[in-house]
Amino acid sequence: MTVDAIDTMAVRYATGWDGAITQRVLIGLAGLLVVVLAGKVVGKKDCSVLTGLLWIVAGLVMVVFSIIPQDVIRFVISTEYLTRIRVIMGMVSVLVLYITFESIRRTHLQEKYALLWVATALIILISVLFPNAVALFRAVTGMEYATAIAAVSFTFLVMVAFHFSISMSAVQSKHSKVAQRVAILEARLKKLEEQLAGKDDHSSGGKPGTQQNA
Amino acid sequence: MKRRQSDTVILIPAYNEEASIASLLQEIHQHLPGNDILVINDGSADRTPAVAVQNGAEVLDLPCNLGVGGAVQAGFRYAYESGYQYAIRCDGDGQHPPSEMKKLIEAMKSGSNVDLIIGSRFLGEGGYKSTWIRYCGIHGLAVFLSAICRRKVTDPTSGFQMLNRPLLYFFSRVYPMDYPEPEALALMRREGYDFNEVATSFRERTAGKSTIGRWGTLYYVFKVFIALLVDRARPIDKRFSRENVAGKI
């Protein structure tokens, strides 16, 4: 399928949206709802402003699309393919960065585990902002832009996975040390309790059946 | 604070050994009266800890299943921290007869400056029957271990052992987690500890079945070989070596 064929399909798709009044109204309302809710939340202090802004942008895009669907799709088609990929990858990398920082902020994620994710997102972001750098990479490796991005992401994913295996091993050995310590302390505690019980009540001689070689 | 009745503690790692642990403990009381016994319950789902307490053993209750290595190491750690001079390790399934423990004790206390006595199935006559895969695996390991330990090893997977206090200290710091016995031998030799084997008779298991199946045997041998080779490449941690431990603890 050629590029032109895809474009004509997209245009036909765009004209199709003209008649779909119900859907457009629903999308517009949903977008408005998102914008209003996000706007309300942003005002509060305990919420991150960035999250609210992202949601507002998403809602606005929905509203604009519901009002002028044809123009939106035409505008998208009028841009170059490379531009579109760059915009999408830019959004992806910003999203990864944002989610990583947000997870650190909410202490779901320790900084040392976040470093690889941040690096991945930054490299993609750099490739978006400076396409010439990618041109060099392309000249060296012969990879197309999208392929290069995919390769970079994949490499980092493998590294992240390996990092996880290593930290899991560390966690496992620590967890067995903790379990051993807990068991030993518990045994000592029981002994101590028995001794105390023995002191309190000499006649009974401790709990029956738990005394060694009585 | 600890009330020790003997200078030796008998360590029994047990995982779901409800059926065999009671008779084993009774037998130990009969052959070694007054000896402290510690059952390490490796997260059993059955009544193993309760049965052990009823039969006059102390119980170390691990909050989750750590595998043989983790359980045994918990026992070593406890024995060391409680001030025992020696520990005898035997399995909870009853294949190590308590009557044979005296042989271990004799060999250990005969003053041959050895840190570990291993009860071997293959040394004496009579011998031990097993599947041929297992036989090949164990003997392959034995030959390899004998070479790198510069000591004769006939039964590298035996869990019937007696340790002295310096080795208890070392093993409570460093001990492999799964399939620990052969690797532990190589590790202790690298730190200057010494071991010896004595012939002991083994029984068929009285209950339960081996945790290692046929394919498990292949995996066991493979894993242990890799571990042995990797251990060779590691630096020796002098802090735990015999010269720095013996006489100081």
Side-chain angles (χ1 to χ4, degrees):
Chain A
M1 201 183 283
T2 62
V3 170
D4 284 340
I6 297 174
D7 278 356
T8 41
M9 257 177 67
V11 171
R12 219 184 299 146
Y13 182 68
T15 47
W17 271 100
D18 254 355
I21 302 295
T22 327
Q23 284 91 328
R24 282 172 59 187
V25 169
L26 280 178
I27 290 175
L29 285 179
L32 272 181
L33 192 70
V34 169
V35 170
V36 170
L37 283 179
K40 265 189 178 177
V41 174
V42 165
K44 290 179 189 164
K45 268 185 184 166
D46 55 342
C47 174
S48 121
V49 180
L50 202 58
T51 317
L53 287 182
L54 273 179
W55 279 108
I56 289 180
V57 169
L60 283 180
V61 168
M62 283 165 82
V63 171
V64 170
F65 180 76
S66 69
I67 297 169
I68 41 167
Q70 284 207 47
D71 294 309
V72 171
I73 292 176
R74 287 231 171 77
F75 171 71
V76 171
I77 294 170
S78 70
T79 57
E80 282 202 25
Y81 272 89
L82 191 61
T83 321
R84 267 179 259 166
I85 292 177
R86 281 173 59 189
V87 168
I88 290 172
M89 290 321 292
M91 289 198 310
V92 166
S93 69
V94 167
L95 203 69
V96 170
L97 272 180
Y98 166 68
I99 291 175
T100 313
F101 283 127
E102 194 58 19
S103 307
I104 296 174
R105 201 178 64 84
R106 296 184 186 178
T107 65
H108 291 162
L109 188 67
Q110 286 182 25
E111 286 86 343
K112 56 179 175 181
Y113 299 123
L115 278 180
L116 274 171
W117 290 111
V118 172
T120 318
L122 280 182
I123 286 194
I124 296 175
L125 197 61
I126 287 170
S127 79
V128 168
L129 297 178
F130 307 102
N132 289 339
V134 181
L136 178 69
F137 182 74
R138 181 177 165 179
V140 174
T141 63
M143 276 191 234
E144 287 292 330
Y145 180 79
T147 325
I149 294 284
V152 168
S153 319
F154 180 75
T155 313
F156 274 93
L157 279 178
V158 168
M159 282 163 70
V160 167
F162 185 69
H163 190 182
F164 283 169
S165 320
I166 288 178
S167 44
M168 226 162 75
S169 315
V171 166
Q172 210 162 35
S173 76
K174 280 176 196 162
H175 130 260
S176 66
K177 282 211 179 72
V178 171
Q180 289 170 350
R181 173 67 42 214
V182 166
I184 291 174
L185 288 178
E186 204 177 31
R188 283 171 65 173
L189 183 69
K190 252 181 210 151
K191 253 189 184 174
L192 210 71
E193 279 175 349
E194 269 168 37
Q195 274 177 357
L196 281 179
K199 267 182 198 161
D200 284 349
D201 188 1
H202 284 282
S203 54
S204 75
K207 286 177 217 159
T210 55
Q211 228 37 8
Q212 277 187 41
N213 306 312
Chain B
M1 188 216 104
K2 291 291 166 63
R3 291 183 304 170
R4 294 192 305 274
Q5 299 185 343
S6 51
D7 66 343
T8 306
V9 61
I10 296 166
L11 305 173
I12 308 172
Y15 177 63
N16 291 341
E17 304 282 11
E18 184 184 52
S20 58
I21 197 99
S23 60
L24 176 69
L25 291 174
Q26 290 305 333
E27 234 181 310
I28 294 175
H29 285 314
Q30 186 192 327
H31 287 281
L32 296 168
N35 217 309
D36 286 350
I37 305 172
L38 179 75
V39 171
I40 303 119
N41 170 38
D42 192 11
S44 297
D46 63 3
R47 293 183 59 253
T48 303
V51 174
V53 168
Q54 275 166 19
N55 286 281
E58 230 174 290
V59 172
L60 211 54
D61 224 341
L62 292 176
C64 50
N65 185 280
L66 294 185
V68 187
V72 170
Q73 191 186 29
F76 292 156
R77 203 177 272 260
Y78 178 91
Y80 171 72
E81 288 177 7
S82 307
Y84 287 102
Q85 290 303 313
Y86 301 99
I88 295 173
R89 183 203 148 180
C90 89
D91 283 355
D93 56 13
Q95 62 169 326
H96 304 143
S99 52
E100 299 287 294
M101 286 178 184
K102 281 179 185 140
K103 288 186 189 168
L104 299 182
I105 297 173
E106 259 169 43
M108 176 61 94
K109 296 193 176 172
S110 64
S112 52
N113 201 27
V114 170
D115 305 284
L116 173 73
I117 301 290
I118 307 166
S120 169
R121 283 166 280 191
F122 303 113
L123 256 187
E125 71 277 3
Y128 169 84
K129 308 263 187 310
S130 68
T131 60
W132 67 269
I133 284 192
R134 187 166 290 198
Y135 185 85
C136 292
I138 289 178
H139 280 263
L141 272 181
V143 168
F144 185 62
L145 259 177
S146 302
I148 63 174
C149 290
R150 300 181 308 282
R151 282 283 179 283
K152 197 185 171 204
V153 185
T154 57
D155 194 357
T157 63
S158 169
F160 197 31
Q161 305 171 333
M162 182 165 181
L163 306 75
N164 66 5
R165 189 164 171 76
L167 192 61
L168 279 178
Y169 175 79
F170 173 59
F171 277 167
S172 67
R173 294 302 185 282
V174 183
Y175 203 67
M177 276 297 132
D178 38 19
Y179 312 144
E181 293 88 3
E183 206 185 331
L185 289 183
L187 287 174
M188 63 177 273
R189 278 299 286 161
R190 270 163 68 84
E191 304 276 354
Y193 296 90
D194 209 345
F195 62 82
N196 213 346
E197 284 189 331
V198 293
T200 53
S201 62
F202 281 46
R203 290 186 297 217
E204 293 295 312
R205 314 169 61 93
T206 51
K209 58 176 199 279
S210 173
T211 47
I212 302 164
R214 180 178 301 160
W215 293 108
T217 308
L218 285 179
Y219 173 69
Y220 183 124
V221 172
F222 178 72
K223 193 255 154 190
V224 170
F225 265 114
I226 297 290
L228 288 174
L229 289 175
V230 171
D231 284 340
R232 303 294 291 169
R234 289 200 175 120
I236 296 174
D237 195 342
K238 282 283 175 200
R239 283 175 303 166
F240 308 130
S241 64
R242 193 174 198 284
E243 53 191 295
N244 287 327
V245 169
K248 292 176 191 165
I249 51 166

